Amino acid sequence: MSNLIIRLKPQEDRRLRAGHLWIYSNEIDTARTPIKGVVAGSLCRFEDGRGKPIGAGYINPGALLCGRLLTGQYDAVFDADWLSRRLQAAAALRQKLYDEPYYRLVFGEADGLPGLVVDRYGDVLVVQIGTAGMEHLKARLIEALQATFSPRGIVLRNDSASREAENLPLYVEEVGDVPETVVIDESGVKFEVAMRGGQKTGWFFDQRDNRDRLSRYIKPDSTVLDVFSYAGGWALRGLGHGAASATCVDSSAPALAAAARNAELNGKALETVKGDALDVMKQMALDGRRFDVVVVDPPALIKRKRDHEEGLGLYGRLNRAAINLLTPGGVLVSCSCSHHLAADELQRVLLRESRAAAKRLQILETLEQGPDHPVHPAIPETRYLKGFVVTAINEQVA
């Protein structure tokens, strides 16, 4: 373990004592423990303002969120064995939850490994490192992953823009034998996932359990519209639940091509429409098209606090367009993965837009990320996915 000691200002340890893992630069007593010149990602020990141990972790003096606690054990040694124990604990949870090895294996802070995401695709692992501290541990991490899971291959998808906040380079690296694609099984529906060129870490496991819950809203004659469809997860699951037809809307031609391949893989057919989601939905409404189930599952539309109002307006316009495409008694699944949009705000958006459409809103279910994306109880940011299943009744007939 490093001999570097970082001391906090008086009273700045309270959040950490309560279970939080983050340390901001203005919480550090730089007079006693200067951090200027410390190498980004350095392992260190943290002490409170009185010099009493808090725990151990890593620090990046160039970032606002500069420190992360890995453990409350002051003298911990962060070698491959330590990482293996954390990985084994994470795997044990997922193995209780899922019969097949397709899931988010590590979800950062919630699994005691801040700065790290690992998705498991059978014998292939996709890793995303988001902090300088975890980058510092990369060689030990790969050793631990290989010792714990004996994977066929590991892809390091370290090309996320979030790394820029830590002044980290963007790159993709492979270890072992990594295939172009892997076919996963999600409740009997097969999906081909690109290991190199897919969005983020390849597949959105966080919505899997919510896609399972879609079954109660699907009837043999149901029509499904999947907006921001990516590779057709909601659409194909709708067809798997027995829907008569499904339509995918996305601005990415490769994503729609992947959706079409996934349909073929399952012996299904679906319609794909390329274009801006809002423009496409407005045109569909003008064309008189209506759907029994509409899913609006966009990427994060509010990435920074200062974008809140603009993003809130876009969520409103998207959901109003979706409500206007519902058949009488139809169901809207509206989701947000924006950290800066609270669930109650999304609920108010849905209420406002249904009122503007002269409809009475009914909330049928609330949605969150699946249990392979556990929530750290002291870190609200780990509860990022929120959603509602709603129906909007015409006020003139209800």
Side-chain angles (χ1 to χ4, degrees):
M1 180 61 196
S2 169
N3 291 321
L4 177 63
I5 294 175
I6 303 299
R7 181 169 290 192
L8 304 188
K9 294 176 182 177
Q11 308 302 316
E12 296 293 0
D13 60 306
R14 288 177 294 182
R15 189 162 39 82
L16 300 174
R17 301 287 189 193
H20 213 291
L21 305 180
W22 295 351
I23 298 163
Y24 292 91
S25 57
N26 61 0
E27 296 173 333
I28 294 174
D29 187 342
T30 54
R32 288 187 168 185
T33 54
I35 60 174
K36 186 177 181 180
V38 171
V39 175
S42 294
L43 299 174
C44 61
R45 297 185 178 95
F46 293 105
E47 296 180 347
D48 65 18
R50 298 167 295 176
K52 293 186 177 180
I54 296 173
Y58 57 76
I59 188 166
N60 180 357
L64 174 63
L65 202 174
C66 69
R68 285 174 171 83
L69 200 64
L70 289 170
T71 178
Q73 184 180 347
Y74 190 66
D75 59 350
V77 176
F78 300 121
D79 56 12
D81 288 339
W82 185 92
L83 288 164
S84 289
R85 290 193 294 273
R86 287 286 164 101
L87 293 170
Q88 289 164 6
L93 170 63
R94 278 69 177 182
Q95 288 162 2
K96 291 178 183 178
L97 298 171
Y98 302 106
D99 294 331
E100 300 292 333
Y102 310 118
Y103 41 68
R104 174 141 295 179
L105 175 60
V106 174
F107 184 49
E109 282 80 353
D111 284 300
L113 291 166
L116 178 66
V117 166
V118 182
D119 279 357
R120 187 174 191 178
Y121 298 93
D123 59 358
V124 179
L125 303 176
V126 178
V127 176
Q128 195 168 67
I129 293 173
T131 60
M134 199 54 67
E135 187 80 18
H136 178 85
L137 293 169
K138 186 177 79 169
R140 280 167 269 187
L141 172 63
I142 292 172
E143 181 184 347
L145 288 168
Q146 290 174 324
T148 306
F149 303 107
S150 301
R152 168 186 173 186
I154 299 172
V155 185
L156 292 139
R157 286 291 304 270
N158 293 334
D159 53 357
S160 169
S162 62
R163 285 172 59 92
E164 294 174 0
E166 295 263 330
N167 297 311
L168 292 172
L170 307 185
Y171 67 90
V172 176
E173 184 179 314
E174 298 177 14
V175 178
D177 178 19
V178 177
E180 287 294 326
T181 61
V182 170
V183 175
I184 67 171
D185 185 292
E186 187 175 293
S187 299
V189 179
K190 292 180 170 56
F191 293 96
E192 181 184 82
V193 181
M195 293 292 95
R196 297 178 181 86
Q199 294 181 17
K200 294 192 174 181
T201 51
W203 189 244
F204 294 98
F205 286 120
D206 54 359
Q207 290 279 26
R208 171 180 33 199
D209 289 50
N210 295 330
R211 290 190 285 261
D212 285 346
R213 295 161 75 176
L214 190 66
S215 62
R216 67 176 63 184
Y217 305 106
I218 300 292
K219 305 302 178 188
D221 60 347
S222 291
T223 54
V224 177
L225 176 64
D226 183 358
V227 185
F228 301 98
S229 66
Y230 183 42
W234 289 97
L236 267 296
R237 291 300 308 278
L239 292 173
H241 292 314
S245 67
T247 301
C248 289
V249 176
D250 204 283
S251 61
S252 166
L256 292 174
R261 287 195 302 273
N262 285 330
E264 185 177 354
L265 188 63
N266 288 279
K268 304 287 186 181
L270 53 72
E271 177 188 16
T272 60
V273 181
K274 182 180 180 298
D276 174 81
L278 189 57
D279 292 342
V280 170
M281 285 194 287
K282 286 180 176 179
Q283 187 59 51
M284 284 179 166
L286 291 174
D287 294 341
R289 299 193 64 178
R290 298 295 183 268
F291 299 87
D292 300 303
V293 177
V294 177
V295 180
V296 177
D297 185 16
L301 301 179
I302 307 175
K303 295 184 178 180
R304 301 168 298 182
K305 284 185 179 180
R306 66 187 182 190
D307 299 328
H308 184 270
E309 289 305 312
E310 181 181 352
L312 201 61
L314 182 52
Y315 277 111
R317 293 190 294 275
L318 288 167
N319 281 285
R320 185 186 300 190
I323 288 170
N324 288 333
L325 286 174
L326 292 175
T327 59
V331 168
L332 167 64
V333 180
S334 177
C335 301
S336 169
C337 61
S338 295
H339 290 284
H340 300 296
L341 181 73
D344 61 345
E345 287 184 298
L346 180 58
Q347 180 174 316
R348 287 195 295 272
V349 165
L350 291 166
L351 173 61
R352 183 184 69 233
E353 300 307 330
S354 64
R355 298 284 295 175
K359 295 181 184 293
R360 178 163 57 85
L361 193 74
Q362 292 177 307
I363 296 175
L364 310 180
E365 291 189 62
T366 58
L367 306 177
E368 290 189 329
Q369 66 233 46
D372 56 344
H373 293 65
V375 174
H376 190 298
I379 306 178
E381 290 85 352
T382 59
R383 179 181 274 116
Y384 68 97
L385 182 63
K386 69 284 297 183
F388 294 93
V389 181
V390 305
T391 187
I393 301 172
N394 193 322
E395 284 283 17
Q396 295 177 350
V397 299

